[in-house]
Amino acid sequence: MRTLYEVGKEISADLELGPRVATVATKAAELSGACATVVYLRVEETDEGRVAAAHGLEVPNGETDRVHFFAAERAIGFDYPDYRTVRRLASPEQPIELPLLDGRRFESMLALPLMLSADQQVFGLLVMLDKPGGFSVADEKFLELYASEAAIAVHNSRLYEHTRVLDRLKSEFVAVVSHEIRTPLT
């Protein structure tokens, strides 16, 4: 619990979405012993999924690199509407490949949904990859707690970003109205 508390303080240090998601990915790798982590987030307006952050991997860095979020969930192994943690080891017949990570294959994977317990809607996926020896049940249970804490932090950052957009729109509207009122008066 102390570890989760300390990590929670580090995640909460920055409200910006980008740095916060990057911290979530880095800390997930540290806590799990994974060589790499990827955080997928759902784009609210389009239901597309994108790689929001990665640790230990080179990923394409373009806004055009998106896949439908439900296709990403299925490719990783989640079954809608049941979002249980997915833990897999690769086999020669079934290698582990992830959406938007062209041609990369992995030996082991632990994937967790990012969702708020109140509404049970998944808005992201936290995927840890290639832990030497694979992921254990203990890893799974501990990282489920971490994912729930990370989900709250990421959701708060998304709300913060949305609030900033609304504030910018309000400022633009006030500037336009102010200009339109001043012109006839002068």
Side-chain angles (χ1 to χ4, degrees), residues 152-165:
I152 293 168
V154 170
H155 181 70
N156 287 343
S157 286
R158 291 175 85 170
L159 291 174
Y160 173 73
E161 297 284 328
H162 187 67
T163 301
R164 284 183 36 191
V165 168

Side-chain angles (χ1 to χ4, degrees), residues 18-166:
R20 185 171 273 186
V21 175
T23 302
V24 166
T26 301
K27 291 301 175 186
E30 290 174 11
L31 292 172
S32 67
C35 294
T37 56
V38 180
V39 177
Y40 293 92
L41 288 181
R42 175 186 283 161
V43 178
E44 294 175 46
E45 298 83 25
T46 62
D47 269 345
E48 292 175 317
R50 65 178 177 89
V51 174
H55 174 80
L57 286 174
E58 286 293 321
V59 295
N61 192 14
E63 282 296 315
T64 59
D65 295 329
R66 294 183 180 179
V67 65
H68 197 280
F69 193 75
F70 300 121
E73 288 175 339
R74 282 192 298 278
I76 291 170
F78 289 101
D79 292 324
Y80 179 80
D82 184 25
Y83 289 102
R84 293 199 179 137
T85 301
V86 176
R87 184 169 38 106
R88 287 189 0 208
L89 284 172
S91 65
E93 310 84 44
Q94 193 175 20
I96 298 172
E97 296 178 351
L98 294 178
L100 304 176
L101 299 180
D102 300 327
R104 297 280 316 254
R105 293 181 178 210
F106 304 97
E107 297 298 316
S108 61
M109 176 185 73
L110 180 65
L112 302 144
L114 295 176
M115 66 181 166
L116 299 174
S117 58
D119 63 2
Q120 295 293 314
Q121 183 175 357
V122 175
F123 62 85
L125 306 170
L126 175 61
V127 183
M128 280 118 338
L129 302 157
D130 285 348
K131 178 179 180 178
F135 294 94
S136 68
V137 174
D139 291 331
E140 181 180 327
K141 296 302 177 196
F142 177 72
L143 290 166
E144 283 175 351
L145 293 173
Y146 173 73
S148 65
E149 184 175 358
I152 293 168
V154 170
H155 181 70
N156 287 343
S157 286
R158 291 175 85 170
L159 291 174
Y160 173 73
E161 297 284 328
H162 187 67
T163 301
R164 284 183 36 191
V165 168
L166 291 175

